[in-house]
């Protein structure tokens, strides 16, 4: 028997929720172990991403499971679903751009050390910027929260078919602003630009980091290569994984946007709801596992990059190299 669109969506949501909970819990635990002094920008960014990812899955995907199970959402449920889905998507993009910019600056200072180190004021500015992104995200999507509704006349009728269930969550939870100009400039232009512009900047930033990584690879010190210390290893790894995360989040967002835009043409396919769920929540489920590797030391098996003293005694007849 061929599974229905609702069943496929429930399965996709359940898998994504499970993977996201495991990944983000591990990321939060590994990050909290590293916080010994002040709360650094990178730690606060990771914690912010953890909360965004968990909210995405524990609110949006659970509501989708409820809806796909046949329990109809009221207007409040529609508001929470649309508002949370849009807010968490934008915040994930904005925080990823902030994360990439952070490691771009650190990498640039390694390749060009004369540029100077980050000052305390820059650190405070970055922390305030993270808080400002949370506030801005909520403020931007307040109209979505207000104007999303469930039309009273759009109930399940006797002519509802299985194919219509593919996109009914988009048909029964509508965002109507009541004004054509507001609908055009805010709903169709502004809300797209606040996601796509950061994504374009993110692609440019990651391309710049790739060039800096190539330049760093060619660097020598008096024709003698000197290995990276722990801080440089963390920066290089952060830059590399920023590029991988960009390659993950950009295609997911673009694919989801295209499918939603052409949803009416694809509504006949039963797998579309599951695909849309995977595209919208795939980054929140997979990215924590990549982010954990930023500070993970392969040799020391430590999340924080803190060297553990080895108790193995050195033989008396061993001559240590000055570059050891």
């Amino acid at each position: 028997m061929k599974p229905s669109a609702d069943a496929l969506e429930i399965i996709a949501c359940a898998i994504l929720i499970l993977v996201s909970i495991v990944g983000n819990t591990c990321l939060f635990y590994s990050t909290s172990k590293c916080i010994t002094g002040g709360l650094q920008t990178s730690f606060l960014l990771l914690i912010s991403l953890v909360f965004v990812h968990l909210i995405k899955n524990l609110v949006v995907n659970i509501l989708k499971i409820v809806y796909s199970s046949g329990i109809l959402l009221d207007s409040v449920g529609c508001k929470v679903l649309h508002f949370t889905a849009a807010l968490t998507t934008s915040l994930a993009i904005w925080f990823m751009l902030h994360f990439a910019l952070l490691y771009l600056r650190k990498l640039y200072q390694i390749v060009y050390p004369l540029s100077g180190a980050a000052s305390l004021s820059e650190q405070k500015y970055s922390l305030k910027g993270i808080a400002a992104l949370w506030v801005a995200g909520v403020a931007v999507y307040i109209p979505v929260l207000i104007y999303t509704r469930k039309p009273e006349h759009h109930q399940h009728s006797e002519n509802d078919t299985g194919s219509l269930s593919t996109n009914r969550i988009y048909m029964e939870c509508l965002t109507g602003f009541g004004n054509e100009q507001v609908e055009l400039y805010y709903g169709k232009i502004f809300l797209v630009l606040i996601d796509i512009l950061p994504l374009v900047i993110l692609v440019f930033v990651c391309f710049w980091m790739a060039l800096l990584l190539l330049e760093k690879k060619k660097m020598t010190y008096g024709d003698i290569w000197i290995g990276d210390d722990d801080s440089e290893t963390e920066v290089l790894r952060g830059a590399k994984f920023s590029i991988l995360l960009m390659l993950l989040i950009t295609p997911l967002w673009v694919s989801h946007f295209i499918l939603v835009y052409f949803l009416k043409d694809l509504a006949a396919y039963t797998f579309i709801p599951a695909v849309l769920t995977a595209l919208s929540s795939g980054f929140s489920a997979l990215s924590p596992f990549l982010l954990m590797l930023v500070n993970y030391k392969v040799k020391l098996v430590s999340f924080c990059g803190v060297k553990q003293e080895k108790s193995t005694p050195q033989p008396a007849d061993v001559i240590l190299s000055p570059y050891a």
Side-chain angles (χ1 to χ4, degrees), residues 138-306:
V138 174
V140 163
Y141 286 104
I142 284 179
V144 174
L145 183 63
I146 295 174
Y147 290 103
T148 298
R149 72 197 189 285
K150 182 177 181 180
E152 295 181 359
H153 64 276
H154 202 293
Q155 304 293 337
H156 283 290
S157 58
E158 60 275 5
N159 59 353
D160 252 353
T161 62
S163 62
L164 278 179
S165 67
T166 303
N167 66 344
R168 71 186 181 193
I169 198 169
Y170 298 95
M171 296 174 61
E172 295 185 4
C173 291
L174 302 177
T175 304
F177 299 101
N179 185 292
E180 293 184 359
Q181 290 185 340
V182 175
E183 177 78 24
L184 174 63
Y185 291 110
Y186 173 80
K188 294 185 177 179
I189 297 179
F190 177 73
L191 291 183
V192 174
L193 290 179
I194 62 172
D195 282 348
I196 199 169
L197 285 180
L199 281 176
V200 172
I201 298 173
L202 178 63
V203 172
F204 172 76
V205 168
C206 290
F207 178 74
W208 191 359
M209 278 196 291
L211 296 178
L212 289 175
L213 287 171
L214 290 175
E215 190 168 349
K216 173 66 175 66
K217 191 175 182 180
K218 301 175 183 177
M219 288 174 59
T220 59
Y221 301 87
D223 294 330
I224 299 176
W225 181 83
I226 301 177
D228 302 321
D229 59 19
D230 287 345
S231 61
E232 287 194 8
T233 300
E234 184 258 336
V235 172
L236 294 175
R237 191 165 288 156
K240 293 175 182 177
F241 282 107
S242 294
I243 296 173
L244 290 178
L245 289 167
M246 180 275 296
L247 294 175
L248 176 64
I249 192 173
T250 304
L252 288 176
W253 187 93
V254 173
S255 300
H256 182 270
F257 175 79
I258 292 174
L259 284 179
V260 170
Y261 188 81
F262 294 104
L263 188 62
K264 293 181 180 179
D265 299 329
L266 298 171
Y269 297 94
T270 58
F271 58 85
I272 286 297
V275 171
L276 289 175
T277 298
L279 293 176
S280 62
S281 302
F283 183 76
S284 63
L286 299 177
S287 63
F289 298 98
L290 294 176
L291 288 168
M292 277 189 290
L293 296 176
V294 173
N295 289 326
Y296 184 78
K297 303 300 178 181
V298 177
K299 294 182 180 179
L300 303 176
V301 194
S302 167
F303 285 104
C304 308
V306 179

Side-chain angles (χ1 to χ4, degrees), residues 106-128:
K106 291 183 177 182
L107 180 61
Y108 190 86
Q109 290 172 354
I110 291 176
V111 179
Y112 302 103
L114 296 179
S115 60
S119 63
L120 183 61
S121 60
E122 290 178 347
Q123 178 79 4
K124 291 181 179 179
Y125 177 79
S126 297
L127 296 178
K128 290 180 180 178

Side-chain angles (χ1 to χ4, degrees), residues 14-171:
I15 293 174
L16 288 166
I17 290 172
L18 177 62
V19 175
S20 181
I21 290 176
V22 172
N24 285 287
T25 301
C26 293
L27 177 60
F28 180 80
Y29 174 74
S30 62
T31 302
S32 62
K33 284 182 61 178
C34 303
I35 303 174
T36 56
L39 193 59
Q40 298 180 12
T41 305
S42 58
F43 294 155
L44 189 56
L45 274 172
L46 292 178
I47 292 174
S48 297
L49 281 169
V50 166
F51 281 108
V52 168
H53 295 334
L54 288 177
I55 292 171
K56 162 81 77 172
N57 284 278
L58 295 180
V59 176
V60 176
N61 286 342
I62 287 179
L63 284 176
K64 287 184 178 181
I65 289 177
V66 171
Y67 195 86
S68 298
S69 300
I71 303 174
L72 300 181
L73 296 179
D74 56 11
S75 293
V76 175
C78 288
K79 290 176 181 290
V80 172
L81 177 63
H82 276 272
F83 173 78
T84 308
L87 175 63
T88 52
T89 298
S90 294
L91 286 178
I93 295 173
W94 298 352
F95 286 138
M96 259 317 304
L97 176 58
H98 198 318
F99 186 84
L101 288 171
L102 174 68
Y103 280 98
L104 173 65
R105 179 178 58 80
K106 291 183 177 182
L107 180 61
Y108 190 86
Q109 290 172 354
I110 291 176
V111 179
Y112 302 103
L114 296 179
S115 60
S119 63
L120 183 61
S121 60
E122 290 178 347
Q123 178 79 4
K124 291 181 179 179
Y125 177 79
S126 297
L127 296 178
K128 290 180 180 178
I130 295 174
L133 289 178
W134 278 101
V135 175
V138 174
V140 163
Y141 286 104
I142 284 179
V144 174
L145 183 63
I146 295 174
Y147 290 103
T148 298
R149 72 197 189 285
K150 182 177 181 180
E152 295 181 359
H153 64 276
H154 202 293
Q155 304 293 337
H156 283 290
S157 58
E158 60 275 5
N159 59 353
D160 252 353
T161 62
S163 62
L164 278 179
S165 67
T166 303
N167 66 344
R168 71 186 181 193
I169 198 169
Y170 298 95
M171 296 174 61

Side-chain angles (χ1 to χ4, degrees), residues 315-321:
D317 57 345
V318 173
I319 301 176
L320 294 178
S321 166

